[in-house]
Amino acid sequence: MRWRVLSVLLRPSPGDAFTLVLPILASAMVGTVTYFAVALARLFWVAPDDGFGQYKILAAGLLAVLVVPAATMGSSAARLSVRRREDRLAVLRLLGASSGWVRGITMIEASLLALVGAIAGLLGYAALAPTLTFIAVGGRSAPLAEIWLPVWVLCLMLVALTGVSTLSAAAGLRRVIVSPLGVRMRANAPRLHRARLLVGVAVFAGGIILLQLSSASWGAVGITVAIVVVLVAVMAALNVVGPFLTGVVAQRRLARARTAEDLIAARSVLESPAAAWRQVSGVALATFIAVPTGSVLGFLHMVQNGSTVLAPEQLVFFGDIRTVVVAAVAVSYLLVACSVGVTHAASVLERRRLYVALDRVGMPRRVMERSRRSAVASPLLVAAILPAATASVLFAPVVAVSTFTAPLFIVTVIACIVLGVLLVLLGLTATSPVLRRVLREPDRAL
């Protein structure tokens, strides 16, 4: 009997197709970008070197820098697949299903959606992979036969992407009180403590100390490992500190609110600062990557144009470093472009009852749109300033050198930050049809 009820409740309804496709689409985009990045890293991994493994270091650095953005995007897709079933999960609990059984069913469904999306991502990878033949690594371009990932690597990545989504779904569901009414009322009551700020400061201070301690005696491998560790640790810390600072800024905006849209925007952010941060976290991570990589590009430009003692193979290696740096920035912004639309659409679906209630009391849709833009403004401000300032302090020597020797690349960094902001605003505009669809649904009961 329980399985028969389950099959009825989890069967997609005619109006449920959109919310079913969203997490699959998000997982597919994450899979496409991840497969492509791994294929590029593999070209560097198998490139011949002089015995010091410098190309393997570049490959490992490229993958390490992209771990946090890809995992963040994957977790957002998994949380979306959890949120879309809140009403039906509540029915299961009211019918007597245990909380463990509900958790298990939800995680299985999230895993299946992630697996379908990861498999669909293979099609995107197959379409993009031939472009790798135009990228020269070690002075040569790889033929088409060498750019395809082995089957065992693809299978391993399928398992890894699905596993990340499963763990993220479990984490997202754990924050909801899985009681008969807890799911229905979304009684997660997020609380952000000042300990988040202390963790961020500790990680930041540790990163500065590690970079200061690194020296030529560590060798190229040791220095590269130290830089990669600092990058990954600080990127993870940004996702810890960001929600707390977003909540602080929203509290101040609430105190100064004078219009209905400002009040609703501030309340929407304070309802869940972590969810508001997830809408712009891709911009934060991309900005953090853009500052040091842009500075490195400026430094490489200065070295290649001003040096007369570098051997041809050294010039080739500097060019390969530039390729990795550009690829890291490009892939990170691809993830931003993938994430903003999905997270904004998910935000509309999560707050659909609020928008329906506002529509019923007579609020025009254009006011709701202004409220949505205002709700994104405060976390976007944090996402644009905090990572840029953090990266500038961490890599102050390289940033300073690039500022005076290659200011064009600093302009490029600023352009990247502006691009990230525009991507968020574009994603917000692109989800306006989702809001229109929510407001015109006939079964809009609260």
Side-chain angles (χ1 to χ4, degrees):
M1 178 64 182
R2 184 166 60 176
W3 290 104
R4 184 178 302 174
V5 172
L6 177 66
S7 65
V8 173
L9 290 175
L10 296 186
R11 182 184 305 160
S13 60
D16 197 37
F18 181 75
T19 57
L20 182 67
V21 169
L22 259 181
I24 295 178
L25 180 62
S27 299
M29 292 186 292
V30 173
T32 297
V33 175
T34 304
Y35 299 140
F36 184 83
V38 171
L40 177 60
R42 179 172 174 266
L43 293 182
F44 283 90
W45 185 267
V46 299
D49 53 41
D50 55 5
F52 290 99
Q54 64 265 34
Y55 281 102
K56 290 181 173 58
I57 293 174
L58 291 179
L62 174 61
L63 293 179
V65 167
L66 298 175
V67 164
V68 176
T72 301
M73 175 60 181
S75 64
S76 297
R79 287 187 175 92
L80 174 59
S81 66
V82 171
R83 288 299 192 191
R84 59 181 286 274
R85 289 299 193 188
E86 286 173 346
D87 292 337
R88 299 188 183 189
L89 294 179
V91 173
L92 287 175
R93 290 293 286 123
L94 288 170
L95 291 176
S98 66
S99 60
W101 195 73
V102 170
R103 286 191 181 96
I105 293 300
T106 305
M107 290 173 60
I108 290 174
E109 185 190 30
S111 301
L112 291 176
L113 293 177
L115 180 60
V116 172
I119 294 174
L122 291 173
L123 300 177
Y125 159 67
L128 293 177
T131 61
L132 293 176
T133 58
F134 299 101
I135 299 177
V137 178
R140 63 180 287 268
S141 297
L144 188 61
E146 294 183 9
I147 65 174
W148 300 112
L149 292 171
V151 175
W152 69 268
V153 174
L154 293 176
C155 292
L156 183 63
M157 293 177 64
L158 281 174
V159 173
L161 291 172
T162 305
V164 168
S165 297
T166 302
L167 294 176
S168 300
L173 193 61
R174 189 178 65 248
R175 297 183 180 183
V176 177
I177 302 176
V178 190
S179 61
L181 294 179
V183 178
R184 181 66 180 85
M185 302 303 295
R186 291 182 58 193
N188 52 341
R191 298 178 60 187
L192 302 179
H193 301 281
R194 294 182 182 272
R196 287 174 170 260
L197 189 60
L198 297 178
V199 170
V201 172
V203 172
F204 179 69
I208 293 179
I209 293 173
L210 182 59
L211 292 179
Q212 291 295 325
L213 290 177
S214 61
S215 63
S217 62
W218 290 21
V221 176
I223 294 176
T224 303
V225 170
I227 293 175
V228 170
V229 168
V230 170
L231 284 173
V232 174
V234 175
M235 280 194 294
L238 287 175
N239 280 331
V240 175
V241 178
F244 176 79
L245 294 181
T246 297
V248 172
V249 173
Q251 285 280 10
R252 295 182 178 180
R253 292 193 64 188
L254 178 63
R256 300 194 303 267
R258 294 294 181 269
T259 62
E261 54 261 34
D262 290 339
L263 179 63
I264 294 172
R267 287 292 187 186
S268 298
V269 174
L270 291 174
E271 177 190 359
S272 178
W277 173 258
R278 281 196 297 271
Q279 296 183 54
V280 298
S281 60
V283 175
L285 299 178
T287 300
F288 181 76
I289 294 173
V291 171
T293 52
S295 302
V296 169
L297 285 174
F299 179 75
L300 292 176
H301 179 77
M302 178 193 68
V303 170
Q304 287 187 295
N305 290 342
S307 177
T308 59
V309 298
L310 290 178
E313 59 273 13
Q314 292 175 316
L315 290 174
V316 170
F317 181 63
F318 276 118
D320 291 334
I321 295 177
R322 178 182 297 175
T323 299
V324 170
V325 169
V326 172
V329 175
V331 173
S332 63
Y333 274 95
L334 280 174
L335 289 172
V336 170
C338 293
S339 65
V340 290
V342 173
T343 53
H344 285 313
S347 176
V348 174
L349 294 176
E350 288 184 353
R351 295 192 171 100
R352 57 187 177 272
R353 295 180 182 86
L354 170 64
Y355 293 126
V356 169
L358 293 175
D359 182 58
R360 287 182 171 179
V361 299
M363 176 175 284
R365 188 170 59 84
R366 64 179 182 277
V367 178
M368 298 184 201
E369 293 286 4
R370 288 201 299 267
S371 174
R372 291 177 63 211
R373 288 193 292 270
S374 182
V376 172
S378 55
L380 190 57
L381 178 67
V382 177
I385 295 177
L386 176 64
T390 302
S392 298
V393 174
L394 276 176
F395 303 98
V398 179
V399 172
V401 170
S402 297
T403 301
F404 292 103
T405 61
L408 178 61
F409 290 98
I410 301 302
V411 174
T412 303
V413 171
I414 297 174
C416 287
I417 296 174
V418 173
L419 174 62
V421 173
L422 291 178
L423 283 173
V424 171
L425 297 179
L426 181 62
L428 190 63
T429 303
T431 54
S432 294
V434 181
L435 179 59
R436 288 198 297 267
R437 177 176 178 172
V438 166
L439 295 180
R440 68 170 179 257
E441 285 179 351
D443 52 342
R444 303 184 297 160
L446 297 176

